[in-house]
């Protein structure tokens, strides 16, 4: 009876009783009815009130009933888990590790990739590049000025030129990355200073000598004293007034700059469209998109190509969102790791599902009995799902602990240079993520066994009382799970295999020079007291190199503007003599200013001609040594020796020709994972005077130790430099091997992580295979005993039993191989010397998985043949 | 008593009267109404309709529970029964009522006189 019907019936009854009473007192029926109604009062409103109260009561009862059933389910689930502590611990641990690692990597991805940059209008910030022949480069000040004048997509466009500066506020000079920025740089980013102010428009003129410090520099040099604002600081020998301090973490281009001075463009600079120094950041107008800005600036660039063909031919503009530029490759990297970790989680879910299926079999009788006494199918599924959620919840709690430890490990172990990684936290988002995947996992690993339990053939189970009735259907589910686990494990292994192949390839690459015992350090001179300082710089560096050569610990020493693994300057417009001086013939090449003996000190073999010598000084014939790659490019199929090339100084009308006197072997100067490019070496003693400005009056000392790995040379070099110029800072001092390690750290880190994950995935998958096969075998032990008794050989039996697992294994391998072909494309950017679809890796991985899976199959089968037939048949 | 005064007064005490009516054993709504009329000699003017919301409210509070049974006339009727909780509530309200009555009585029956300094 519904609430409405109950209320109607009850009130009807009441009125009928009254009428009956009044008739008994002598009223006629009609008068009795009227009297009863009067006595009752407002029937309609009473009915409404009673119905409302009745429904409320019904809802409360349902809610109460539901809650008490849920509590009952949870209590039951906990009791089930307690009754099987080993099962519970294994399942919860497997899941906790899976959930924890996935959450840790997710938190890192959240911090690095997903979280918006800490700027007021982060989504409107864009970076604008001068793009030359498909390479994004820095912008020329003149181009920046034109963009600013002509474009309408941006609220503001700011420019910054990054470079090393020598800062002196204590006794030892310090070398930091600094930037000359337009006054609107900070307002474009929308970041206010923590102390003091930023630059005013009035300071956007040549030489205002004011500076803004980073939080780090302020704390190091001024102890975080707010009175630092108003004091002066010496930069490259000149006094600057400190006007402000930026908040901690302000690093808009991830270049780690520590101080800012106004760019103060001169009129001349504002029309310079030839020197590309500036990073340009723009704040898009509200509603303007990157695409719109891109198409607008593209048309501006085309106009400028027509107006200034001399400087702007071949230049295009590229607009990218700032976040995209900064996050860049890390996005792929983190999602790759997340995918790998997620795969391991998936395998873990598969194993737990298998455990649950196995338990479902042993609980078949329990479910059958519960169904028999009236529990609906839905009720049993609900109870199983509750059990799984309890399992998942326990795993989530433990998993958060694992994630917390994982994040600390990741931040500590990850290579330097991943922006914002140190900001990784287990915060609300991470907890939400952990909870979500715990629920998803519970559903994934719980649904199959739960549905299976709900559709159990009751009669069969009760009659047989054993597992045989369910064996066949259950087998299919378990077999499929094993297949999936094998497929996912194979994918992980292929990924790890490709990275291992890359690592082997990289380790075997000849870098082009001898690493052993090689030590390098940067030395920067202060600003010249007078004039251009070229002679004085050359003399100081001469003193340093001469002193180094005389030291007994040092076998060979030289100077270069930049050693391999450091970024050398590039020369765009290199044109061999006899060719038209047009872009089509221009070669982009790295240039290194060196002292005599550089090639010898580095053990870079000379392929032809001679090395730069002490006789190659100003006034003598201008010479260069080119790399093989440059020689091939400039003079294919010809000897380069004696050929001439114009570079680095002079004009088109009056080129300064340099004669090639030697060809040096190629060097992997951007690191072993990068391709070899054209390079040339220019004698320091013949360097054009503005070359000292390009290199910011800083050179790299390369020294080869007579014994050992060269680490002991650091104090020697410091002492020599201090002797030659006490104000010159020595920085980035390290053995070449250390630098190589840093250079390869990210690749190595990814490799180790993926290998560990691949191994863990394989191990989990194999555990799954083993447990399933062992289960099949246990079902057929009596049959095996009969066969053995009838004369079957052990081999026959093993073959028979193994065949049962073979389908899953082969299916998994095929699916995994196909999935790998698709997945490996995401690894492309991490691979060196090996293609994503490398057949060797694929075959080797399939081989490993097949072999281990076969072993996991044969071992339980082999064990079955050892069972005593009598025990198997009667026990 | 008459009119609105009676209604206000009733509103707060209807529950306890119904509880009292049920304390003798299970009754349906009509029987509760008749018991109140018989006990008070018809001096309590309650509309029959107002009993039911009170009964439903008390059912929600679990002071009473109900089941359908056969009545004297062979019709199905909803029978209400006090729960242990309802019995406790009846005791509580009865003792509150007694306290109230004795306090009000004390005040009303005390002779008044002028204070010494007035």
């Amino acid at each position: 009876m519904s609430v409405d019907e109950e209320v109607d019936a009850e009130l009807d009854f009441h009125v009928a009783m009254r009428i009956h009473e009044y008739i008994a007192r002598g009223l006629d029926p009609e008068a009795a009815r009227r009297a009863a109604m009067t006595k009752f009062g407002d029937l309609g409103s009473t009915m409404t009130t009673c119905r409302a109260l009745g429904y409320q009561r019904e809802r409360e009862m349902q809610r109460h009933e539901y809650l008490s059933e849920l509590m009952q389910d949870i209590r039951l689930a906990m009791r089930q888990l307690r009754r099987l502590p080993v099962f519970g611990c294994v399942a919860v641990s497997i899941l906790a590790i899976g959930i924890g690692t996935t959450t840790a990597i997710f938190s890192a991805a959240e911090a690095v990739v997903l979280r918006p940059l800490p700027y007021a209008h982060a989504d409107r910030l864009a970076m604008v590049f001068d793009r030359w022949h498909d390479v994004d480069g820095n912008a020329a000040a003149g181009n920046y000025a034109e963009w600013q004048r002509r474009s309408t997509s941006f609220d503001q466009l700011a420019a910054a030129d990054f470079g090393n500066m020598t800062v002196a506020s204590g006794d030892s000079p310090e070398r930091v990355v600094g930037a000359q920025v337009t006054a609107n740089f900070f307002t474009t980013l929308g970041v206010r200073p923590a102390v003091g102010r930023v630059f005013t428009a009035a300071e956007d003129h040549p030489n205002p000598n004011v500076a803004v410090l980073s939080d780090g520099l302020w704390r190091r040099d001024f102890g975080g004293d707010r009175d630092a604002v108003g004091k002066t600081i010496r930069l490259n020998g000149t006094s600057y007034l400190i006007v402000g301090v930026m908040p901690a973490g302000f690093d808009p281009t991830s270049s780690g700059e520590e101080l800012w001075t106004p760019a103060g463009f001169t009129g001349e600079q504002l029309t310079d469209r030839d020197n590309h120094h500036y990073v340009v950041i723009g704040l898009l107008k509200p509603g303007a998109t990157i695409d719109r800005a891109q198409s607008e600036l593209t048309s501006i660039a085309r106009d400028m190509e027509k107006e200034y063909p001399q400087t702007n031919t071949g230049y295009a503009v590229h607009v990218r969102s700032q976040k995209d530029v900064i996050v860049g490759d890390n996005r792929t990297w983190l999602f790759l790791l997340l995918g790998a970790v997620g795969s391991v989680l998936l395998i873990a879910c598969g194993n737990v599902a298998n455990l649950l299926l196995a338990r479902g079999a042993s609980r078949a009788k329990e479910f059958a009995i519960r169904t028999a006494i009236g529990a609906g199918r839905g009720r049993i599924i609900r109870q199983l799902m509750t059990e799984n959620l309890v399992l998942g919840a326990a795993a989530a709690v433990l998993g958060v602990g694992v994630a917390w430890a994982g994040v600390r490990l990741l931040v500590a172990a990850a290579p330097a240079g991943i922006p914002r990684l140190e900001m990784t936290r287990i915060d609300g988002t991470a907890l939400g993520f952990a909870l979500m995947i715990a629920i998803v996992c519970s559903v994934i690993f719980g649904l199959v066994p739960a549905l299976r339990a709900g559709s159990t053939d009751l009669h069969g189970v009760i009659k047989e009382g054993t597992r045989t009735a369910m064996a066949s259907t259950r087998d299919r589910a378990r077999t499929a799970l094993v297949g999936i686990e094998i497929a996912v494990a194979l994918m992980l292994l292929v990924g790890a295999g490709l990275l291992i192949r890359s690592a082997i390839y990289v380790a075997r690459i000849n870098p082009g020079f001898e690493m052993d015992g090689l030590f390098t350090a940067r030395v920067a001179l202060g600003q010249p007291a007078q004039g251009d300082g070229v002679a004085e710089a050359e003399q100081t560096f001469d003193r340093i190199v001469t002193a180094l050569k005389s030291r007994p610990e040092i076998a060979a020493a030289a100077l270069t503007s930049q050693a391999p693994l450091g970024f050398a300057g590039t020369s765009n417009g290199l044109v061999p003599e006899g060719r038209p001086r047009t872009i089509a013939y221009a070669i982009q090449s790295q240039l290194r200013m060196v002292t005599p003996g550089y090639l010898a000190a580095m053990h870079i073999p000379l392929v032809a001609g001679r090395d730069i010598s002490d006789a190659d000084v100003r006034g003598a014939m201008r010479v260069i040594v080119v790399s093989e790659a440059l020689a091939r490019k400039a003079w294919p199929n010809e000897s380069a020796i004696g050929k001439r090339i114009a570079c680095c100084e002079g004009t088109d009308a009056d080129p300064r020709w340099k004669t090639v006197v030697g060809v040096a072997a190629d060097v992997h100067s951007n690191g072993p994972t990068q391709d070899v490019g054209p390079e040339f070496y220019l004698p320091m003693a013949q360097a054009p005077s503005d070359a000292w400005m390009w290199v910011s009056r800083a050179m790299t000392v390369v020294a080869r130790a007579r014994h050992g790995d060269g680490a002991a040379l650091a104090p020697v070099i410091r002492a020599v430099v201090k002797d030659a110029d006490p104000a010159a800072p020595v920085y980035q001092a390290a053995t070449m091997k250390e630098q190589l390690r840093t250079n390869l750290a990210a690749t190595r880190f990814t490799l180790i992580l993926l290998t560990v994950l691949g191994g863990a995935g394989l191990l989990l998958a194999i555990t799954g295979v083993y447990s399933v096969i062992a289960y099949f075998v246990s079902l057929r032990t009596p049959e095996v005993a009969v066969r053995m008794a009838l004369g079957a050989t052990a081999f026959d039996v093993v073959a028979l039993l193994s065949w049962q697992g073979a389908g899953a294994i082969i299916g998994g391998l095929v699916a995994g191989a196909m999935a790998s072909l698709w997945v490996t494309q995401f690894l492309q950017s991490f691979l060196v010397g090996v293609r994503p679809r490398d057949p060797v890796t694929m075959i080797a991985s399939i081989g490993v998985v097949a072999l281990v899976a076969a072993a996991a199959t044969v071992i339980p089968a082999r064990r079955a043949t050892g069972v005593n037939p009598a025990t198997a048949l009667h026990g | 008593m008459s009119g609105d005064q009676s209604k206000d007064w009733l509103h707060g005490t209807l529950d306890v009267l119904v509880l009292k009516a049920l304390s003798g054993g299970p009754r349906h709504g009509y029987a509760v109404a008749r018991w109140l009329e018989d006990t008070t000699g018809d001096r309590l003017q309650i509309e029959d309709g107002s009993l039911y919301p009170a009964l439903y409210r008390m059912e929600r509070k679990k002071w009473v529970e109900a089941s359908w049974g056969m009545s004297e006339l062979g019709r199905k009727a909803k029978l209400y029964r006090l729960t242990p909780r309802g019995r406790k509530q009846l005791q509580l309200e009865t003792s509150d009522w007694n306290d109230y009555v004795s306090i009000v009585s004390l005040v009303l029956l005390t002779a008044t006189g002028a204070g010494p300094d007035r």
Side-chain angles (χ1 to χ4, degrees):
Chain A
M1 234 190 324
S2 76
V3 171
D4 285 2
E5 287 166 351
E6 283 197 31
V7 171
D8 287 357
E10 187 174 17
L11 299 185
D12 260 4
F13 172 77
H14 185 102
V15 173
M17 289 300 283
R18 274 291 183 209
I19 294 173
H20 187 76
E21 177 195 339
Y22 289 149
I23 289 175
R25 285 197 208 163
L27 292 179
D28 65 79
E30 182 51 28
R33 203 191 62 81
R34 272 201 307 275
M37 292 309 288
T38 315
K39 175 71 181 152
F40 194 89
D42 188 344
L43 183 64
S45 86
T46 303
M47 198 181 282
T48 316
T49 315
C50 289
R51 284 179 177 183
L53 286 166
Y55 279 118
Q56 261 174 24
R57 186 175 145 269
E58 200 168 62
R59 275 198 300 276
E60 281 167 7
M61 273 174 59
Q62 281 168 354
R63 197 153 48 222
H64 182 255
E65 196 178 340
Y66 178 81
L67 280 175
S68 73
E69 275 184 12
L70 186 67
M71 284 311 294
Q72 197 189 330
D73 279 353
I74 291 176
R75 269 197 300 274
L76 203 61
M78 307 255 256
R79 209 178 314 141
Q80 287 286 358
L81 286 180
R82 262 207 306 278
R83 206 188 294 162
L84 289 158
V86 177
F87 165 79
C89 286
V90 169
V92 169
S93 314
I94 289 176
L95 281 177
I97 292 168
I99 292 173
T101 44
T102 316
T103 305
I105 302 283
F106 169 80
S107 307
E110 205 269 335
V112 176
V113 181
L114 304 176
R115 206 180 294 166
L117 297 175
Y119 304 119
H121 303 291
D123 51 327
R124 283 164 52 202
L125 288 176
M127 294 184 79
V128 189
F129 299 94
D130 257 336
R131 191 172 173 81
W132 194 79
H133 288 225
D134 294 333
V135 181
D136 282 345
N138 287 345
N143 288 347
Y144 156 73
E146 296 281 355
W147 298 338
Q148 202 182 29
R149 196 158 39 242
R150 301 188 194 192
S151 84
T152 58
S153 303
F154 293 96
D155 261 346
Q156 303 198 47
L157 272 174
D161 178 12
F162 297 93
N164 288 307
M165 297 184 184
T166 302
V167 174
S169 63
D171 14 310
S172 65
E174 195 186 355
R175 195 78 173 161
V176 302
V177 179
Q180 293 184 309
V181 300
T182 52
N184 65 355
F185 180 72
F186 304 100
T187 53
T188 299
L189 291 162
V191 180
R192 272 191 250 272
V195 186
R197 61 173 177 85
V198 293
F199 306 132
T200 63
E203 282 160 347
D204 216 351
H205 291 293
N207 304 320
N209 291 5
V210 288
V212 169
L213 308 186
S214 75
D215 181 79
L217 184 62
W218 177 53
R219 286 178 198 282
R220 273 203 314 278
D221 283 11
F222 296 93
D225 181 4
R226 299 178 77 88
D227 289 340
V229 170
K231 287 187 178 151
T232 58
I233 187 168
R234 288 186 76 74
L235 302 180
N236 292 344
T238 311
S239 282
Y240 280 71
L241 179 71
I242 300 168
V243 296
V245 179
M246 293 312 286
F250 179 73
D251 188 9
T253 59
S254 284
S255 20
E257 70 262 32
E258 300 223 73
L259 87 111
W260 298 268
T261 57
F265 288 128
T266 59
E268 195 184 339
Q269 279 174 309
L270 287 174
T271 54
D272 178 355
R273 284 173 282 270
D274 205 11
N275 289 304
H276 296 260
H277 292 306
Y278 292 92
V279 171
V280 175
I281 297 180
L283 179 64
L284 288 165
K285 285 204 173 121
T289 60
I290 298 280
D291 287 346
R292 205 187 100 190
Q294 175 68 62
S295 66
E296 189 197 31
L297 285 182
T298 300
S299 86
I300 293 174
R302 278 203 208 101
D303 291 346
M304 288 172 64
E305 244 181 318
K306 280 182 211 120
E307 290 167 44
Y308 315 106
Q310 282 242 300
T311 51
N312 283 42
T313 304
Y315 276 99
V317 181
H318 192 199
V319 185
R320 293 177 67 192
S321 90
Q322 190 204 16
K323 192 171 165 188
D324 214 37
V325 175
I326 291 182
V327 171
D329 291 344
N330 297 308
R331 195 194 305 268
T332 332
W333 181 71
L334 279 164
F335 284 125
L336 182 81
L337 289 189
L338 203 55
V341 170
S343 303
V344 175
L345 180 64
L346 204 60
I347 298 178
C349 280
N351 270 2
V352 174
N354 250 328
L355 282 172
L356 284 172
L357 275 173
R359 237 159 54 85
S362 60
R363 288 174 72 188
K365 214 166 181 177
E366 174 198 337
F367 294 132
I369 290 166
R370 289 196 57 188
T371 312
I373 61 172
R377 183 178 165 194
R379 189 73 191 70
I380 286 181
I381 292 181
R382 216 179 86 188
Q383 190 215 318
L384 269 173
M385 288 312 281
T386 311
E387 284 181 19
N388 298 341
L389 284 172
V390 167
L391 205 72
V397 170
L398 250 166
V400 168
V402 173
W404 183 81
V407 162
R408 308 206 122 204
L409 208 68
L410 186 72
V411 172
I418 296 169
R420 310 203 289 166
L421 184 67
E422 74 290 345
M423 285 160 72
T424 307
R425 301 265 178 285
I426 298 296
D427 55 8
T429 320
L431 291 180
F433 179 82
L435 189 68
M436 193 194 73
I437 58 173
I439 291 171
V440 170
C441 285
S442 304
V443 172
I444 292 178
F445 68 66
L447 203 58
V448 179
L451 289 177
R452 184 78 59 210
S455 64
T456 302
D457 167 19
L458 297 177
H459 289 291
V461 173
I462 294 178
K463 226 165 50 198
E464 306 268 332
T466 56
R467 43 218 170 162
T468 44
M470 300 176 56
S472 67
T473 48
R474 199 173 303 283
D475 288 352
R476 273 206 295 281
R478 303 194 70 184
T479 310
L481 275 172
V482 164
I484 293 171
E485 286 185 35
I486 287 193
V488 177
L490 178 60
M491 263 161 48
L492 278 172
L493 217 60
V494 168
L498 285 171
L499 283 172
I500 291 171
R501 294 254 299 162
S502 292
I504 293 171
Y505 178 84
V506 167
R508 283 190 186 153
I509 288 176
N510 173 11
F513 58 94
E514 178 60 54
M515 296 249 175
D516 285 334
L518 198 59
F519 189 91
T520 71
R522 299 276 292 157
V523 177
L525 301 186
Q527 285 308 108
Q530 60 202 27
D532 59 10
V534 171
E536 161 258 322
E538 282 174 7
Q539 279 158 21
T540 310
F541 279 123
D542 261 341
R543 276 206 300 283
I544 292 172
V545 82
T546 311
L548 286 172
K549 280 177 176 163
S550 71
R551 296 292 296 234
E553 305 92 326
I554 295 175
L559 292 169
T560 169
S561 52
Q562 195 61 260
L565 303 183
F567 179 73
T570 52
S571 174
N572 293 332
L574 220 55
V575 177
E577 190 176 21
R579 308 262 164 84
R581 292 182 63 76
T582 63
I583 292 288
Y585 290 96
I587 299 166
Q588 194 171 11
S589 171
Q590 295 209 37
L591 92 93
R592 289 173 205 283
M593 205 158 95
V594 298
T595 58
Y598 170 75
L599 296 177
M602 294 290 290
H603 292 190
I604 298 172
L606 204 59
V607 177
R610 66 169 176 87
D611 196 355
I612 286 160
S613 78
D614 289 328
D616 298 320
V617 292
R618 216 160 267 119
M621 179 177 75
R622 294 191 192 87
V623 300
I624 56 171
V625 171
V626 299
S627 73
E628 279 186 285
L630 178 55
R632 261 197 311 276
K633 219 165 172 172
W635 303 280
N637 307 318
E638 279 180 79
S639 164
I641 305 294
K643 298 283 189 331
R644 300 208 301 173
I645 203 162
C647 91
C648 321
E649 55 185 327
T651 62
D652 279 355
D654 177 25
R656 292 275 187 280
W657 295 107
K658 312 236 184 303
T659 306
V660 176
V661 294
V663 178
D666 283 329
V667 170
H668 281 271
S669 49
N670 293 331
T673 59
Q674 303 296 312
D675 289 337
V676 164
E679 287 188 36
F680 63 91
Y681 305 92
L682 191 71
M684 184 179 86
Q686 288 186 341
S689 55
D690 51 352
W692 289 100
M693 195 192 76
W694 310 334
V695 301
S696 311
R697 293 167 60 80
M699 295 284 277
T700 300
V701 171
V702 300
R704 189 171 297 279
R706 216 173 274 284
H707 307 289
D709 65 354
L713 296 187
V716 178
I717 292 170
R718 280 182 202 283
V720 165
V721 172
K722 197 167 177 113
D723 228 28
D725 181 355
V730 175
Y731 56 104
Q732 291 170 15
T735 65
M736 196 52 95
K737 285 200 167 158
E738 279 166 3
Q739 295 181 46
L740 184 70
R741 257 198 297 283
T742 313
N743 182 281
L744 296 176
T747 319
R748 187 183 308 266
F749 183 67
T750 315
L751 168 72
I752 292 172
L753 262 178
L754 267 195
T755 309
V756 168
L757 289 174
L762 185 64
L763 200 69
L764 281 175
I766 293 320
T767 319
V769 175
Y770 182 87
S771 66
V772 167
I773 302 300
Y775 168 74
F776 288 158
V777 170
S778 74
L779 286 185
R780 299 180 66 174
T781 309
E783 180 198 335
V784 167
V786 172
R787 282 174 191 271
M788 298 284 286
L790 292 177
T793 63
F795 180 82
D796 293 338
V797 170
V798 171
L800 178 79
L801 292 176
S802 302
W803 186 242
Q804 206 157 8
I809 295 170
I810 292 169
L813 287 175
V814 169
M818 302 217 285
S820 300
L821 291 179
W822 175 71
V823 162
T824 47
Q825 62 182 315
F826 300 107
L827 275 173
Q828 179 93 60
S829 58
F830 301 94
L831 301 181
V832 187
V834 52
R835 283 200 314 272
R837 295 181 173 183
D838 177 49
V840 175
T841 312
M842 186 68 81
I843 290 166
S845 304
I846 292 176
V848 169
V849 177
L851 215 68
V852 183
T857 310
V858 170
I859 292 168
R862 184 77 188 78
R863 197 180 291 158
T865 63
V867 175
N868 175 1
T871 327
L873 288 172
H874 299 293
Chain B
M1 286 195 218
S2 62
D4 294 343
Q5 256 185 318
S6 142
K7 270 191 179 165
D8 284 352
W9 178 82
L10 258 181
H11 203 78
T13 44
L14 188 58
D15 283 4
V16 69
L17 295 182
V18 172
L19 285 174
K20 180 70 184 176
L22 292 174
S23 65
R27 289 177 206 269
H28 45 67
Y30 173 73
V32 170
R34 284 302 305 268
W35 186 84
L36 288 173
E37 283 161 18
D38 292 347
T39 311
T40 61
D42 269 343
R43 289 195 305 168
L44 207 56
Q45 291 298 313
I46 310 171
E47 282 183 344
D48 288 358
S50 62
L51 275 181
Y52 287 93
L55 282 166
Y56 275 71
R57 253 195 313 276
M58 290 196 289
E59 200 183 348
R60 247 186 87 193
K61 289 182 186 164
K62 299 206 168 80
W63 293 351
V64 302
E65 54 190 14
S67 59
W68 287 83
M70 278 303 168
S71 76
E72 305 86 324
L73 292 176
R75 284 189 63 157
K76 271 179 77 171
K78 196 174 172 190
L79 289 172
Y80 294 89
R81 179 186 309 110
L82 271 193
T83 63
R85 209 190 281 196
R87 202 166 290 284
K88 206 174 282 171
Q89 183 66 21
L90 176 62
Q91 281 167 6
L92 201 75
E93 291 202 27
T94 308
S95 89
D96 279 357
W97 175 257
N98 286 336
D99 287 352
Y100 176 70
V101 168
S102 63
I103 292 164
V104 174
S105 301
L106 184 68
V107 173
L108 294 182
L109 299 180
T110 301
T112 52
D117 297 323
R118 283 188 71 168

